[in-house]
């Protein structure tokens, strides 16, 4: 079956960095558009960053210049490097894989607090 397993979340101070990973199995990873979404308490889930099967990236305006998404097709893994973290980045971060069907990971908590 399809599995997306996120890791790398945690507690970090404002201005700090974290790197999230998402390991995929059960899909032809190289064909999929991969993305990171987040959901803060009381808010809707929103797109953070996505990367196409050709390596084209797009980002939410709120994270441009601070976050970088990348993929390793040999390892069936995507990454989200998050720098200059702000308190408003606090959320559960979810990995997503899609072509015509959406697959989701279980989420990893990122908390930015002093």
């Amino acid at each position: 079956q399809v599995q997306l397993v996120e890791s790398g979340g945690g507690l970090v101070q404002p201005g700090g960095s974290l790197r999230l990973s998402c390991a995929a199995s059960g899909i032809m990873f190289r064909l999929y558009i991969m993305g990171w979404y987040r959901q803060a308490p009381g808010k809707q889930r929103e797109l953070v960053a996505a990367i196409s099967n050709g390596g084209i990236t797009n980002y939410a305006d709120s994270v441009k210049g601070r976050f970088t998404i990348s993929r390793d097709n040999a390892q069936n893994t995507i990454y989200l490097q998050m720098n200059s973290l702000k308190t408003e980045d606090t959320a559960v971060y979810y990995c997503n894989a899609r072509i015509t069907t959406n697959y989701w990971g279980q989420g990893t908590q990122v908390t930015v607090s002093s």
Side-chain angles (χ1 to χ4, degrees):
Q1 77 269 23
V2 178
Q3 281 194 311
L4 302 176
V5 180
E6 301 102 333
S7 60
L11 173 64
V12 64
Q13 291 187 338
S17 298
L18 281 175
R19 188 194 197 205
L20 305 183
S21 301
C22 171
S25 60
I27 59 172
M28 290 194 70
F29 179 83
R30 61 181 176 82
L31 299 182
Y32 276 72
I33 299 168
M34 301 297 297
W36 289 97
Y37 288 70
R38 68 186 180 188
Q39 188 166 19
K43 294 189 176 181
Q44 289 190 330
R45 191 172 297 189
E46 63 176 359
L47 174 68
V48 176
I51 185 165
S52 74
N53 53 8
I56 297 171
T57 58
N58 69 285
Y59 297 91
D61 287 344
S62 59
V63 307
K64 281 180 182 175
R66 300 188 298 123
F67 292 9
T68 303
I69 189 170
S70 60
R71 66 189 296 160
D72 183 340
N73 288 343
Q75 298 294 325
N76 287 3
T77 301
I78 63 167
Y79 305 96
L80 186 69
Q81 178 66 43
M82 304 186 293
N83 299 328
S84 302
L85 282 160
K86 305 176 180 180
T87 55
E88 52 263 44
D89 295 317
T90 295
V92 178
Y93 284 68
Y94 296 91
C95 179
N96 172 266
R98 67 178 175 89
I99 301 179
T100 56
T101 301
N102 268 301
Y103 297 105
W104 294 94
Q106 80 287 352
T108 185
Q109 176 70 46
V110 171
T111 302
V112 185
S113 175
S114 55

